[in-house]
Structures are given as structure tokens and as C-alpha cells.
Amino acid sequence: MRILTVFSIVFCLSLNILQAQAPKPTSSTDLYHSLQKLNFLGTALYIAAHPDDENTRLISYLSNETKARTGYLSLTRGDGGQNLIGQELRELLGVLRTEELLAARRVDGGEQFFTRANDFGYSKLPTETLSIWDEDEVLSDVIWTIRKFRPDVIINRFDHRTPGTTHGHHTASAILSVEAFDLANQANVYPKQLSTVDTWQPKRLFFNTSWWFYGSQENFEKADKTKLMSLDVGVYYPLKGMSNNEIASLASSQHLCQGFGRPLTRGSQPEYVELLKGDMPPHKTDLFEGINTRWSRMKGGEEIGEILEKVEKDFDFVNPSNHLSDFLKAYSILEKVESSYWKQIKLKELQELIVSVTGLYLEATSTEEFTSPGNTLDVKLEMLNRSAASIRVVTTGLIGDTKSNSNIDLKNNKKQELTLGITIPINTPYSNPYWLNEKWSLGMYKVENQNLIGNPETTPPLNVYFDLEIEGNPIRIERPVVYKYSKPDLGERYQPLGIIPEATARFEDKVILFSDNSPKEIPVRITAHKDNLKGKLQLDLDEGWKTEKAYQNFEIKTKGEEATVIFKVTPPKEDNEAYIAPVIHIGDKKLRKELILISYNHIPQQTVLLPSETKVVRLNIKKEGEHIGYIAGAGDKVPESLRQIGYTVVSIDPNSIESGSLEEYDAVVTGIRAYNVSEELKLKQSYLLDYVENGGNLIIQYNTAGRWGKQFEGLAPFPLKLSRNRVTNENSPVEIIAKDHSLVNYPNKISEDDFQGWVQERGLYFPSEWDSRFTAILSMQDEGEDPLDGSLLVAPYGKGNYIYTGLSFFRELPAGVSGAYRIFANMLSMQNEESKNNDLIKGE
């Protein structure tokens, strides 16, 4: 946590602390690097659309070689992507990808910012993107970030001049950046922002180009390079023992859910930027050439620069604490100079250097993972001075609450501990990603507090201050209260402290299907977050849905335990879609939240509180067969969805597939991108095709075209060429072009109405070419484009059927889209050629 000021409220200078990571040991070379950055007063901002769009090579180069304060503005949090490591999608995937970006910045030394734009999925044109986003609000967020971060140099990842050649979000990010460059300095543009920040004019705007944007290396070699600069980002850092490219590789490998783990690269590597606005650096070797980046940039900074630049020149790597007096002198002078943007930034950097050179360790930890407003909590303070410096803790306490007149002298290497008994203020907000606190739209998150906009994450709920005297100089240091624990297989671990309600409720299934009028027992799990919890539970139901009891009582004795309350719910007689929500009554409180934990080893655990609800669907659906084998791919919830309509779904490990092992299944389904993520599956393809030939029904969900390096020739029994073709508008019209095919007639009659209410997209990575033995079932297109017929292809093979589909069932089924269930049931019910005609007759 940092002192919140006009200029630095959203910018975190110590990401390790804010992210509740284990404290990072600071070596002398780390201190020297921090000193070099302290002595550089220049800022660069990289702008793109999504997590993993950023060029970590260039961000790392600017941060570690140039020593600039470097940020990455990702317009979205990547909510519309896929997840290779888990089942989080949409807003929960956005939380995960936010943390992976922060993990990447901890590696390459950058800082991270966002706008309120929601990644609604693939977009073909920036005009479509900006029509779904609120263009004015996203532009205001870009300008807000520029005015707060005050970059001298802005670098766009994408080209604003080439709409339609890449993702619409990509081009839109560049278009908005170019526009913001000229508007951020105009006082009549978003004037309400100016109550908190000043206008700002960046000096230069670049486009981070490469041969790829020219179509080929040959075209790039021939291109006019008058406005291009080349930087060698493969520089080696002796103090780090690593090259810039190695650091960049480690940073980009933090994007695990997108499959960006990659080997380290080394050696010289050119990076090109094209000047779009501003003046070209005279020698084309330094993006900041001609911009004052010394202490003289700040009024009253010359004296400070003289002190700190001399320390940098004569730095003592053996005993850095020898420079403490110089740091304290510079700090004292800096406190007295006129308030400015750079004063606030450099005060915090200098504070951390002072703490680091003394080896001062200050920590505030809780032994409880979660607590609630109004509860009491013991916070353990650990304080340790690992130098000969005179350091005294004058007072400590919870910011905004308790205070302790400590007067503790911290002797060299003698640990001091103190426990603060605090009461959590009753108005403390719950722990939740701030952009998920209000209902969002397809294109935008709703954030009313201007000072939150752009923040990567929510500020820690509880923070402790340490008022110190270091060699007689008063300095206040703040630390967040974090939860610390240990695990036998991982050792000491840290995670953010969670402030949550006294109780939360959740449904086991996010979609519950009713195939007839019979009632279903729906369990609701209540988790107690305090001891001796008593209350009653109610279900909020839409009209037409009924339950036997309005309320049910519950009692849970121990914090962390669960109770299951079962309601018998009866659906309407006709097809219907609705939502039901549990309401926990405790005294006069009504609690409606579900607690979701996102936990992976490469990020801090994330606490998410969303309205608890489930979608209920009254659906007339017919199906054949019941025993389905499912081969997982990149992660989806299709198996759970199929169980909802009565199928028995068995997970199949590709390693277990052998001749005859699939015969027990009525159908076998591969998850999304299964062939992309499983080398073993490709080796077992012959067994899968044998299964089809012997009468099996094989359904292959989409795979990406370029992830194998070349087309996988054995994907289908007949020639089939994948592409990047897709239909991104979920409301695009769909035509059934094989009207007599059993897939759209048995056991459910499929019509265009079954494509109503789809979410995010129709489908993706459709095949572009296929053998004549395939039958194309559907035709669809985005506005202004030619029809695409490759979304659903069926080929008889031997006695069975091979089905390839790019339809986005992995999104539609978990969203409870009725038509998607009916179509999938028909795919699973496909019969072999010998019985197909008889079944059609039965269906009539």
C-alpha cells in the first residue's frame, strides 16, 4: 500500500507488497538498479488491447536498460479469451488474466493499467469494437491514464491505419491512443478529470512495427525507414546475470492460461518503432533523446541529483547502508521542494531505498484468511533492523483506526514483534475486484469512482502504518495486512486478506435444466464465515417457478463449515428461462453473495464475490444414447452441461486409449482445442477413427489452425483444412442448408429459432476446405461478409459418423442456451448409416 495522493493514488511502486507475494530479498545489485531508476525522470507507456498483447522485450528494455518508469495500458482484461489451465471464463477469466499481467510486470519491471472496456470476444473491425464499447468512455480512460501516468513516450502495439487486418480490439486500441495523444493536453476535453490531475502532452508517439506488419521480410527490407528507429533489445545485464530477452521471456511466460509459456531467448535482437507524432530523436538510438530526464527536470531537484548521482557513481556494493546518510539528506530536501508529480513518485522510491539499505523488514500479517466487517482480528507486526543504523518505531496502527505508542528501538538484527488487536470497521468494503461491484454490460464495466479507473486491482482493505525515526529522521512506511501461512509441499505462502460477508451461498450448477414438468431438488450450499451462525434461507423465484417452502432454517457451528439446504422447485409447463437466487437472512441482514476463489500457484489467490444465482431452463429436449466419453482439451464445462440433460459423461485420458477401448461409448467428444494441447491425442487418432468406422459417433470441437506449426493431416478421416474463419456476431442470421439431414431432424427438429439467445459469438476456427464426403449443415455470416458453411460438418465413415464443429458450444451450454443443447443432443444421437432411415421414420 502507498500513501494516496493526487498524483499517485492508482500507481503502485511496490507490486510485490500489494500482490501479497512473499517478500522478495533485495540484493546490492537490486538496490543499485533501483538507484539508477531513481535517478531517471522519464516515463514510457505501451498501449494495446489485451493481456499478452504487450511486447515484453520492449517493456523490459525501457524499464531495465533505459531505466524509465514504464507502464502497459491494456484496454481490456482479456475476459473474452479461452483458458488453458482451468475453467474460469468471462469475468473470472478477466480476474485471472489481470493477475497474470501483474505477474509479468513483476518480472519485467513495468506497471499495469486498464480501461473499463470489456473484452466481448473477437471483433473483425474497429468500428464494430467501438460500437460495442462505449467509445467516449474508453477514450476518456486512455486520456485519464495519460494524464495520471504522464508518459513522455507512448508506443502502440498495433497500427491504427490498417483496420480489418487484425482483431478489431487491436486496431481500436491504436486509434484511441493516436486520438488521446492530441487530446490529453486540452483542458476542454473531459474537464472533470482536471479536479484531480493536470493536462499532459506526451512528447512522442510510436508504433511498434516489425516485418510482420509489412507482409514479409522482403517487403520490410524494401520499405522506407525514414521514420523508423531500431533498438537492440537483446542487451545483456551483467548485474542481473541475464539478458533482456531472457527477462522478457520469463515475463510473457506468466500468461499461462493463454499458453504463452516459452523457452528463454538470448542474443542481439532488433526492435523497430515508427514515429507517428512528435519529433524524431536526432540519433535514432534513444527514445528519450532530447527530453530532460535528470533531476533538474523537477523544480528544486538539482541539489538532490548531485547527491544521488554521486552515490550512484561511488555505490558501495559490499555495504550499501554506508549511503544511508546521503539518502536521508536527499529525502529531507525532497520533502521540502514544491509539490509536483515527480516529487510524489520519487519520495516513495527513495523511501523504499532507505528501507532496503538498512535491511529493514516490516510486515503485518493475519493468521486468518478471511474476516468480516465488525469482527475482531489479531494483526502480528514483525519489525527487524538489519543494519547498524539507529531506527526507532514511534507509533504503529491500523490506518484510520487503532494507534499504538510503540517507542520500540530496533537493534541490529534483533527481531521485534507486536500484536495489534483490531476491530474491522463496519463500513469496510468486501474484497472483490472493484470493476465487478456493479452490473456490467457486454462492452463495458461500470466504475463510478474516477480514482479507481485504471487501477489493476482493488486496494488492500486493511493497511498498517509504521511511524519511524531513522537516524532521527521521521519517515512513515505503510504495509498491507496479508494472510501468511505455510504448506508442507510449498513452504511459506502469502495471500491477500479477504473481507467477506458472514455467510455466502452457492449452487452446485450454474444452469439447471428441466426436461419435463417434474420438480427437481436443488441444493444450496451455505458457507459460514463466523462461528455459531444461525439464519434462514429463501429462494427468489421468477413468475411461473414454484417451491414448496418459502424459507428454511439452518445452523452452522464452526467457521468455514458448510450446510446444504434443499429446495424442491417446480418449473412452468412451457419452455421458459429464468434465474433463481438464494437470500440468506441473518437477523435483519440479507446476504446474496457467492464466494469464488481463484487459486493458482503463479498468482496470489483472488477473492471474488458475485451475486449468487443459477439459470433455470424449462426445455423440451429429446435424446438418444446415454454413455458419453469426453476427452478434455483446453478447459470447458461441456461435460457438466451434458450431465444436466441426463447423459453419463466419463472423462477419457488420451493415454488410456487403445484398440477397442472406446466401444462402450454411445458417442465420444473432444473438448475445445484438444489436439492443440495434447500431443498424446494425436498419436491415438487412429484408434478414434477405428471407433467411428466400427459404428461410433465422434464429435470434434474446434481446434486452432496454427498451433501445430502445420495442418494435422490425420485430424479427420477425409481431407479437412482448418482456418481462422469465424462468425463473431452472436446474433448473425443462420441458415440450415441441409434441411433433410438427420442432424437437424432427429430426435429434435432444429430451426432458426434455436440460434436465438446465443452469447459472445456463433463460432470460431471453421474449416475452409473439406472433402465432398462431408455435409455442411449450416451457413452463417457476419454483416458485409460472404457466407461461411464450415461451422458444422458431418461425414459418414464406415458404420459411424465423424462430426467437426466450430460452433461455440463451450460458451453456449454453460450459459444455458436452449437451442445449443438441442443441437448438441442431436449430434450425440446421430445413428449409423444402416439405421438412420428407420430412425427418421420413427421421428416423424
Side-chain angles (χ1 to χ4, degrees), residues 750-762:
I750 304 301
S751 71
E752 279 78 6
D753 290 342
D754 287 296
F755 293 92
Q756 300 297 314
W758 284 47
V759 298
Q760 186 157 326
E761 63 202 352
R762 290 293 188 202

Side-chain angles (χ1 to χ4, degrees), residues 260-280:
F260 269 63
R262 59 190 178 95
L264 305 187
T265 58
R266 303 166 186 83
S268 178
Q269 181 171 349
E271 196 70 54
Y272 297 92
V273 293
E274 176 191 354
L275 182 70
L276 300 177
K277 290 178 178 288
D279 62 308
M280 176 67 78

Side-chain angles (χ1 to χ4, degrees), residues 547-596:
T547 185
E548 291 181 341
K549 297 180 180 180
Y551 297 92
Q552 293 196 51
N553 295 322
F554 67 87
E555 181 176 352
I556 306 174
K557 291 185 177 181
T558 306
K559 177 180 179 179
E561 291 186 349
E562 288 188 340
T564 300
V565 178
I566 297 176
F567 287 87
K568 185 175 285 188
V569 175
T570 302
K573 293 181 180 180
E574 304 300 327
D575 284 5
N576 185 284
E577 295 185 4
Y579 287 89
I580 60 176
V583 182
I584 301 172
H585 295 260
I586 300 176
D588 58 356
K589 296 178 184 177
K590 295 181 180 180
L591 306 176
R592 303 171 181 265
K593 298 292 187 182
E594 174 184 5
L595 174 63
I596 303 167

Side-chain angles (χ1 to χ4, degrees), residues 382-403:
E382 182 177 333
M383 301 162 284
L384 179 62
N385 170 21
R386 291 173 287 195
S387 74
S390 171
I391 301 178
R392 186 162 64 96
V393 182
V394 181
T395 59
T396 62
L398 184 69
I399 293 177
D401 189 27
T402 58
K403 179 178 180 180

